[in-house]
Amino acid sequence: MAEVRLESIGKVYPNGFRAVSDLSLTISDGELLVLVGPSGCGKSTAMRMIAGLEEITDGTLKIGDKVVNNLRPKERDVAMVFQNYALYPHMSVRENIGFALKVAKVPKTEIAERVSRAASVLELEKLLDSRPANLSGGQRQRVAMGRAIIRNPSIFLLDEPLSNLDAKLRVKMRAEISRIQAELGVTTLYVTHDQVEAMTLGDRVAVIRDGLLQQVDTPQVLYDTPANLFVAGFIGSPPMNLWQAGVTIGETTASVRIGEQSVELEAETVARVPDLAEFSGREVVIGIRPEDLAIGGVDNQEWPALSATVGLVEPLGSEILVHFDPGAPLAATGDPDMEDLSAEGDVLAELAVAKFGPRESFAISEKIELRMDPARLHFFDAEGGNAI
Amino acid sequence: MTRDTFEERLFGAVKWMSVAFFLVITVFPLLYMVTLSFKPIEEVLKDPTDIFPSWNQFKSFRPYRDILRSESDGGRGFMKFIVNSGIVALITVTITVVLSTFAAYAAARLNFFGKRAVSAGILLVYMFPAVVIAIPLFVIFSRIGLRDSLLGLIIVYVAQTVPVALYMLRSYFQTIPRSLEEAGLIDGLSQFGVIRKITLPLSAPAVASVALYVFMIAWNEFLFALLFLLDKPDLWTLPLAVQQLDTTEVPRTMLMAGSVIITIPVIILFFLAERFFSEGLTSGGVKG
Ligand SMILES: Nc1ncnc2c1ncn2[C@@H]1O[C@H](COP(=O)(O)OP(=O)(O)O)[C@@H](O)[C@H]1O
Ligand SMILES: [Mg+2]
C-alpha cells in the first residue's frame, strides 16, 4: 500500500509529441482515483509512466516517500491490467495468474493456494486449465484482473479494462472491480474515456484534456461545480446545456441574452456569482444541466424563463428527454467526441436537452416555456472557458 | 448439373490434379533415387518395367555399406563426411540462430540510431549472389589460413544465412504484441527475462523454421565446400563427397546411396518440425 504522488510530470515522445504536460496529482493510500478524458488525451501515457513502461520526461514521481522516476517496472511493485488484456497466449489461465509469483520465486504450494483463492474471487475455477485463446472477452478480462490481484501490489493500474466488453458485462464488472478494490484497499489508478464509469467508480476523478489536468475532485463536486467549460461538457450524460450569452448587469436588474431572448437573472444569482459583474457587457457561456430545467408552473414562477421549440422527444420510461432549440447554438466545449457528432450532422448534437418526469407529454415543434433553476446556473468565461 | 456443382467439381478436380502433380514430381525422383541405390542402373535399363530391386539386392545393403566404410577398409569413408557435414550444419545453425535472434529482436523492438538503415542493409547483403563473392573470399581465406578448414566454411555459411534469418525473425517479432512483453515487465521480469520467457516461447515456430532453413543451406551447400576443401579429402562435406562419386569408376548405386544419405536427414527434420509450424501460438493473448 502506498501513496502515489505525481509532481509536474510531463512526457514528450521521441518524435517530439508532447502527450502529458505538468501533471500534478496525488493518489492517496487506498484510494481509487479515476483518470478520465477523451481518447488520445494522454491517459495511457500517464499511467504507463507510473508503471515504468514509459520514460518520464519531466517532473518527479513518488511512490510512498521514494522517488521512482528511474526504477524499472519490477522495482515499483505495481500491477497493471492492460486494455487489450495482454494475456500470455502460451500459458494456461493458471500459469497466467500465477506468473508474477513464479517470477518472484514464491514456493509452488503457496502459488497454487493463491491462484485458487484469486480464481474463486473471480469465478475462474473451472477455466484454470484453459488457454486464453479459448476464453470469451469477459473471461479474459477476469484473468487479467486475476493476474493483477494475486500479487498484493502497492499500486493497481487499470487501463480501460472494461472497454472491450459489452454494456451489460461492463456494468457487472464495474461493480466487481469496485468491490475487489475496496476489499483489498489497494491504491488504484483507473483510466477510462467513459465518464459514467469514472463517476460510478472513482473516490475522486481527474479530468484530463490534451495532456493537461482540468480538475480533480469527487464525482459530485465535478458534477456540481465544473472548473471549466470542458469539464462541464464532458461530465454528465446527457451533457450540460451551454450557450453563448451576452451579460448585462445594471444597478437593479441583470440579464443574459441567449440567442434572441433576454433572460432575467435574479439578484440572488448575481450575488452568488459576484465575479459576473466584471463580465457585464461581454460574452460569457451560460450552462444548465438537463435536470435543472423545469416546465413553467406555479412553484417556479420566479425562475428565469426560456422559450424554446421542441425538436425531439425521447421517452425513456423513467424519464423523458426533450431535445429543444432556444434559438441559439450550443457553445463548443472542446470535447472532440461531441465535435465529431456535430461534424457528422447529428441533429441531437445541435440541440439542447431537458429531462422531465415520465408523465409529461410533448409534441415535436411545440413551443414550450422552460424555467431554469437559478441556483444551478453555471457561468464560464467565453475566452479560456474557466468557471466564473 | 447446376453451375455451383459444376464449379465445385471443377475445383475439386483441379485440386486433386495439382496434389497428384506435386506428388509425382517430388516422390518419383525420390523413389528412383532410392531404387537406383540398390539396383544397378544397367539392370533397370535392360528391363525398365521392373524398377524395384530384388529382395537380395535390398537385403545386402551393399552400396550403403561400401560407401560408409572407411577408405582403409576399401570403402568411401562417408561416415567421416557425415560427421563433417553434421558438425558444420549444427554449428552454423547454432551460431546463426543465436546471433540473428538477438539482432532481430534489437531491430524489431529497441530504438537505436540508424535502425532503418540496418534493416534495409540486411536484405541488401543477401542480394549479392554467392558466386560474386566466392572468388574474393577464396583469396582472403587463403591468405589468413582459413581456407582448408571447416571453420572457414562455417564462417561463410553463417554470413550467408544470418541476413535472411534475421529478416524472418524480425518480421515475426514485430507480430508479437508489445503489451505481452510489457505485461512480463510488470510481472517482474527483466528485459532479458522477457525475451527468454515470453518472446522466444511465442516465437518457437519462427525459430524452428529459421533453424531448418539454415540447416538445409549448410547441409547442402556445394560451391564454397568445393572451393575451400577440395585439397583436403579429410574435411569434405557430404555434397562435395557425393559429387566426387560422379565418375565412371564408381558404381551408380553408390552415387545414389550417397544422395539418399544427404536427403534423409532433411526429410526427417522437416517432419519433426512440421508440428511446430502448424501450431498458432500467439492467438488469444490480446484483444482490441
Ligand atoms: N510512442 C508514441 N510516440 C508518439 N506519440 C505517441 C506515442 N504513444 C502515444 N502517442 C500519442 O500521445 C497521445 C496520447 O496517447 P495515449 O496516452 O495513448 O492516449 P489515451 O490513452 O488517453 O487515449 C496520442 O495523441 C498518441 O497519438
Ligand atoms: Mg489509452
Side-chain angles (χ1 to χ4, degrees):
Chain A
M1 307 297 123
E3 177 185 89
V4 181
R5 196 185 270 282
L6 287 73
E7 293 169 358
S8 302
I9 294 284
K11 173 71 189 180
V12 179
Y13 277 110
N15 65 2
F17 183 80
R18 177 168 272 284
V20 174
S21 313
D22 196 23
L23 179 61
S24 294
L25 201 58
T26 302
I27 314 170
S28 323
D29 193 3
E31 179 184 36
L32 196 167
L33 184 103
V34 179
L35 193 57
V36 69
S39 60
C41 71
K43 308 177 297 287
S44 296
T45 305
M47 171 169 284
R48 291 163 54 81
M49 284 192 284
I50 297 175
L53 296 173
E54 208 71 72
E55 241 173 81
I56 297 171
T57 314
D58 343 281
T60 312
L61 174 66
K62 287 183 185 160
I63 297 177
D65 294 325
K66 212 161 76 187
V67 175
V68 299
N69 280 46
N70 297 317
L71 294 191
R72 279 174 294 164
K74 64 182 231 178
E75 297 160 324
R76 299 190 188 190
D77 193 23
V78 298
M80 181 161 169
V81 175
F82 291 76
Q83 180 170 0
N84 63 13
Y85 312 145
L87 304 181
Y88 308 123
H90 57 304
M91 299 181 197
S92 67
V93 168
R94 185 192 307 280
E95 290 165 325
N96 261 284
I97 296 178
F99 188 69
L101 299 184
K102 189 173 151 203
V103 171
K105 302 211 163 62
V106 173
K108 278 213 176 68
T109 50
E110 190 187 335
I111 295 180
E113 206 174 287
R114 281 165 73 174
V115 167
S116 67
R117 209 176 326 140
S120 80
V121 169
L122 293 162
E123 295 171 26
L124 284 170
E125 292 107 324
K126 293 209 178 69
L127 299 170
L128 279 176
D129 294 310
S130 321
R131 286 286 171 100
N134 302 327
L135 304 182
S136 70
Q139 291 166 338
R140 286 180 199 181
Q141 202 280 335
R142 278 183 282 151
V143 176
M145 283 296 292
R147 209 164 58 173
I149 66 172
I150 195 165
R151 287 177 41 192
N152 294 327
S154 340
I155 308 164
F156 261 165
L157 301 172
L158 297 98
D159 191 354
E160 313 217 13
L162 306 182
S163 63
N164 284 319
L165 303 182
D166 60 53
K168 211 166 160 189
L169 204 51
R170 200 148 62 210
V171 172
K172 180 169 174 257
M173 284 313 296
R174 199 160 74 197
E176 200 74 345
I177 287 177
S178 191
R179 183 181 65 79
I180 293 171
Q181 194 273 341
E183 214 169 275
L184 302 177
V186 180
T187 310
T188 303
L189 180 65
Y190 186 105
V191 158
T192 178
H193 66 270
D194 178 352
Q195 56 91 20
V196 177
E197 214 167 281
M199 299 289 278
T200 47
L201 268 176
D203 294 326
R204 286 188 307 149
V205 174
V207 183
I208 177 169
R209 172 198 179 194
D210 291 342
L212 281 165
L213 185 63
Q214 306 291 303
Q215 189 173 6
V216 203
D217 223 312
T218 60
Q220 201 58 50
V221 171
L222 282 188
Y223 192 80
D224 291 341
T225 53
N228 59 35
L229 261 182
F230 178 79
V231 177
F234 190 77
I235 299 288
S237 173
M240 185 187 286
N241 301 301
L242 295 155
W243 298 284
Q244 288 274 345
V247 196
T248 319
I249 298 187
E251 288 290 315
T252 51
T253 60
S255 68
V256 288
R257 174 163 290 280
I258 299 175
E260 297 295 304
Q261 308 185 45
S262 182
V263 178
E264 301 296 320
L265 297 182
E266 294 172 312
E268 286 146 47
T269 310
V270 181
R272 179 170 66 84
V273 194
D275 289 347
L276 197 58
E278 291 169 28
F279 287 84
S280 184
R282 285 161 56 192
E283 287 280 300
V284 297
V285 173
I286 186 169
I288 186 142
R289 294 211 178 267
E291 65 274 25
D292 297 327
L293 287 160
I295 303 292
V298 235
D299 47 348
N300 56 24
Q301 279 174 18
E302 310 289 298
W303 290 8
L306 186 69
S307 34
T309 315
V310 174
L312 186 78
V313 182
E314 284 185 290
L316 298 179
S318 61
E319 64 205 22
I320 291 185
L321 296 183
V322 177
H323 298 265
F324 65 92
D325 180 7
L330 291 173
T333 62
D335 180 350
D337 294 338
M338 291 306 286
E339 279 161 18
D340 285 350
L341 284 181
S342 312
E344 283 162 19
D346 188 324
V347 260
L348 290 189
E350 307 281 334
L351 293 174
V353 59
K355 199 188 271 185
F356 299 118
R359 311 287 168 242
E360 306 283 348
S361 74
F362 299 89
I364 289 178
S365 302
E366 183 187 345
K367 296 257 183 276
I368 51 173
E369 173 130 316
L370 299 169
R371 296 285 163 82
M372 303 192 276
D373 184 344
R376 299 270 167 225
L377 278 175
H378 302 265
F379 298 93
F380 303 91
D381 187 345
E383 291 156 33
N386 286 326
I388 299 168
Chain B
M1 194 156 48
T2 69
R3 205 175 127 181
D4 273 359
T5 53
F6 172 73
E7 282 184 358
E8 217 167 87
R9 280 184 205 178
L10 179 70
F11 286 129
V14 168
K15 187 175 102 187
W16 283 114
M17 267 152 60
S18 29
V19 169
F21 175 74
F22 283 111
L23 263 182
V24 167
I25 63 167
T26 53
V27 171
F28 255 36
L30 212 64
L31 206 63
Y32 246 82
M33 183 169 77
V34 175
T35 304
L36 290 176
S37 68
F38 291 106
K39 186 173 178 133
I41 189 145
E42 296 78 14
E43 282 179 37
V44 178
L45 288 177
K46 246 180 260 161
D47 181 5
T49 56
D50 179 24
I51 61 165
F52 292 103
S54 68
W55 177 239
N56 277 337
Q57 279 168 337
F58 187 71
K59 202 176 57 178
S60 74
F61 230 66
R62 260 281 309 280
Y64 288 89
R65 281 193 291 169
D66 287 348
I67 200 175
L68 288 172
R69 232 186 357 248
S70 69
E71 276 124 337
S72 48
D73 276 350
R76 288 274 161 188
F78 260 53
M79 218 51 191
K80 195 173 58 203
F81 305 142
I82 292 177
V83 171
N84 287 346
S85 266
I87 289 173
V88 169
L90 290 181
I91 294 180
T92 304
V93 167
T94 311
I95 296 177
T96 298
V97 166
V98 171
L99 266 185
S100 53
T101 298
F102 283 100
Y105 188 82
R109 282 286 193 263
L110 311 177
N111 281 310
F112 58 87
F113 183 72
K115 182 172 148 176
R116 286 178 62 108
V118 170
S119 300
I122 293 171
L123 271 195
L124 206 64
V125 172
Y126 191 64
M127 288 179 184
F128 281 97
V131 241
V132 175
I133 51 174
I135 305 300
L137 269 182
F138 178 80
V139 175
I140 294 170
F141 276 35
S142 303
R143 288 265 171 82
I144 58 179
L146 276 175
R147 198 188 75 203
D148 296 327
S149 71
L150 292 183
L151 179 63
L153 211 53
I154 289 171
I155 292 173
V156 172
Y157 294 169
V158 167
Q160 230 181 2
T161 51
V162 157
V164 170
L166 212 169
Y167 196 78
M168 284 167 72
L169 286 173
R170 189 190 64 139
S171 309
Y172 194 86
F173 287 153
Q174 282 168 341
T175 67
I176 296 180
R178 210 173 187 139
S179 56
L180 290 182
E181 299 188 341
E182 290 172 347
L185 289 176
I186 297 277
D187 273 346
L189 292 174
S190 61
Q191 182 68 50
F192 185 71
V194 163
I195 298 180
R196 221 162 50 91
K197 295 271 175 55
I198 293 170
T199 317
L200 281 185
L202 288 175
S203 311
V207 173
S209 44
V210 163
L212 190 62
Y213 156 81
V214 176
F215 181 87
M216 287 203 296
I217 298 265
W219 183 260
N220 291 328
E221 204 280 338
F222 174 68
L223 177 64
F224 283 100
L226 176 71
L227 274 179
F228 286 15
L229 303 175
L230 190 60
D231 318 336
K232 288 270 171 128
D234 274 357
L235 296 179
W236 284 359
T237 55
L238 277 174
L240 183 53
V242 170
Q243 196 264 347
Q244 297 303 311
L245 295 178
D246 188 11
T247 65
T248 44
E249 296 128 51
V250 180
R252 293 277 108 173
T253 44
M254 260 197 206
L255 176 61
M256 286 299 141
S259 306
V260 170
I261 289 172
I262 289 196
T263 316
I264 296 286
V266 175
I267 294 180
I268 292 178
L269 277 182
F270 218 94
F271 279 104
L272 286 180
E274 197 263 347
R275 207 170 36 91
F276 259 123
F277 304 148
S278 47
E279 258 179 54
L281 277 182
T282 45
S283 64
V286 299
K287 178 169 184 192

